[in-house]
Amino acid sequence: MPSRKSAIGSLHSETNSTRSTSRNGPPSSSTDGNSGSGGGGGGSGGGGVISSHSSRVEDVRRRTVAFDAQTVSLSAYIAASATGGLLTVTGGTQELARTHGLSLQDNEDFNNVTQSNLPGFSLLKRGRIAAPRRSVYVHVIKLAAASEPYKAQLLAESLKILKYFCGAGSSHTDIGHGSQTGSHSSTTGSSASSSSSPSSYFLRLIEIYLMEASDPQQQEVLVVEEKFPLENCLQYYLLNGAYHGPGLKARDVKRWAIKLAEAMEVLNVSGVAHRFLRPENVVMSVSRDISHQLPKVTAFDCAVLYWDAETKDSIPLARGLPLPGLKSYLLDHLPPECFTDGYNGSQVDAWSLGVLILQLATGSTPFSAVVAEITSDAATPATSAELNVQFIEAWKRCKERLWITEELRSLLDDVFKEADARITLWEMAKDFRLTCKDPSEFVRKKNIPPYYRIDLQKVTNDSFTQFECYLF
């Protein structure tokens, strides 16, 4: 079986660059456009470095190499095992306890606050696992109650993606995002590390069990993960006012945003769209001091490949998520393209991260009403262009846009755009508007040209101009 260590470590830490959302090319577009409207690599002392156009093009080229290698590695891993490495248990919970040392505490079920909130067939239980004896959380997915599209995707891709990035052995893989890339590096507060492992980005997976039963109605998947305080779920902060005032302090929002952008880029550079980046699915590290807490992403229930490493082309994804009947309030993190058939998933998580940043800063999101309208039974199918207008206008008119700081507003203006013009996850992780510690740095550099994306197909020689490299 191919090793998940193959390209993720050596290439990712060396080639952190951005990607293009060209329909027929790998997501290898641009890097930061500028500090005020496109970002620059973080600099020392809390400032930022605005990269030259030529250095950004080189970053794109390096990132394309990493993307090609990592998508091939992940695709080979997924194809190598029909079961995705799931341990099959046929004797029920008794065999699970006797053979695998895992016992479920059925009297302590929890509301599914830290998972995908998949209604009717997903819940969270406490468990205890032996050797060494420790408490765990077990995400129980009842396959009989799930829809056929969801079940097929879960077993074919989602669980394998989960094990690839979060399973045993993945913690030995270097997925550094703060390392040097061309002429700049990302160094912002505690996010400025020379390298990070998947365990610093994702909730650690212990094991996945497929519980077979003579009665198909009893078939379940058990996802065993490390235990964490339920109150550390990010949704707890938003619902219970765990922080003071209407939102977190701007520096904490930016620090968490960088860490989440790094986590999502680890997936994105491997051709994976998480598609369920929501407060319910982000867990904070244990610390009494909120300024020292860092987020970890969980709930890979809807993770999917958006890139075919063999054909070198994007994989068209079905409208919405493979969950018929899912309530609209669980879809308000998705970008407009997700509500059309055959969409490209490469930019989904960038939009979702923008929504999450806005929720952290203000406690609310402006897209719930739009999503409720377009997913209602009475809704008339809209074109991609019409949906883009609806979502972008909702952002421009919302009160939340007036509540946030100028640098965050500028950044989110570049997030809430059409997919082909949207700022990429890698760009966000090193964007000057997030890395600068002093807001006055952003104010002083507001005269920098607007953010733009680079298409490598238009870079034919060294005499190009930045205008010849615009993607739009």
Side-chain angles (χ1 to χ4, degrees), residues 49-100:
V49 176
I50 311 304
S51 303
S52 68
H53 178 76
S54 58
S55 68
R56 298 201 307 264
V57 171
E58 286 305 311
D59 283 347
V60 176
R61 289 173 173 150
R62 292 190 185 98
R63 204 273 187 176
T64 301
V65 173
F67 180 85
D68 290 342
Q70 293 183 39
T71 52
V72 168
S73 176
L74 176 56
S75 295
Y77 178 87
I78 289 176
S81 173
T83 62
L86 276 66
L87 296 180
T88 302
V89 179
T90 57
T93 55
Q94 291 183 345
E95 180 188 339
L96 187 67
R98 182 181 67 256
T99 308
H100 301 282

Side-chain angles (χ1 to χ4, degrees), residues 30 39 118 176 183 188 238 250 292 326 367 374 431:
S30 84
L118 309 180
S183 60
T188 305
L238 299 177
H292 292 160
L326 196 64
F367 302 112
I374 64 178
D431 193 282

Side-chain angles (χ1 to χ4, degrees), residues 142-341:
K142 299 181 180 297
L143 294 180
S147 66
E148 287 302 319
Y150 171 77
K151 188 191 311 183
Q153 178 191 290
L154 181 77
L155 297 176
E157 288 185 2
S158 302
L159 293 178
K160 299 177 185 181
I161 291 171
L162 169 65
K163 194 152 191 175
Y164 184 87
F165 289 102
C166 309
S170 60
S171 60
H172 302 300
T173 304
D174 252 355
I175 308 186
H177 201 93
S179 55
Q180 289 286 344
T181 305
S183 60
H184 45 265
S185 62
S186 175
T187 55
T188 305
S190 57
S191 299
S193 59
S194 59
S195 64
S196 300
S197 69
S199 61
S200 66
Y201 294 128
F202 310 117
L203 198 64
R204 186 169 61 88
L205 173 70
I206 297 174
E207 194 53 82
I208 305 175
Y209 298 97
L210 178 61
M211 304 294 289
E212 295 284 7
S214 55
D215 182 2
Q217 297 297 317
Q218 302 300 317
Q219 191 178 40
E220 299 175 336
V221 170
L222 308 184
V223 180
V224 185
E225 297 176 303
E226 64 178 300
K227 184 181 176 182
F228 56 89
L230 285 176
E231 60 270 20
N232 278 35
C233 174
L234 194 56
Q235 182 74 342
Y236 179 87
Y237 288 89
L238 299 177
L239 293 180
N240 297 283
Y243 48 76
H244 300 289
L248 292 166
K249 293 181 180 179
R251 65 173 180 268
D252 293 321
V253 172
K254 294 195 289 186
R255 182 170 52 83
W256 290 3
I258 291 172
K259 192 71 172 180
L260 287 168
E262 291 174 356
M264 290 297 99
E265 165 62 7
V266 168
L267 303 179
N268 196 272
V269 78
S270 298
V272 173
H274 185 277
R275 300 197 303 171
F276 234 56
L277 181 62
R278 298 177 53 83
E280 300 95 321
N281 303 326
V282 177
V283 178
M284 306 308 299
S285 60
V286 179
S287 175
R288 292 188 177 183
D289 186 351
I290 197 170
S291 64
H292 292 160
Q293 291 182 330
L294 292 174
K296 288 188 176 184
V297 177
T298 182
F300 282 67
D301 307 63
C302 296
V304 65
L305 293 177
Y306 68 79
W307 187 257
D308 190 323
E310 184 175 348
T311 64
K312 304 295 183 183
D313 201 357
S314 61
I315 300 173
L317 302 179
R319 182 180 188 272
L321 296 171
L323 302 169
L326 196 64
K327 299 297 183 182
S328 62
Y329 73 88
L330 293 175
L331 300 174
D332 59 8
H333 65 288
L334 293 175
E337 63 265 23
C338 284
F339 300 95
T340 61
D341 282 319

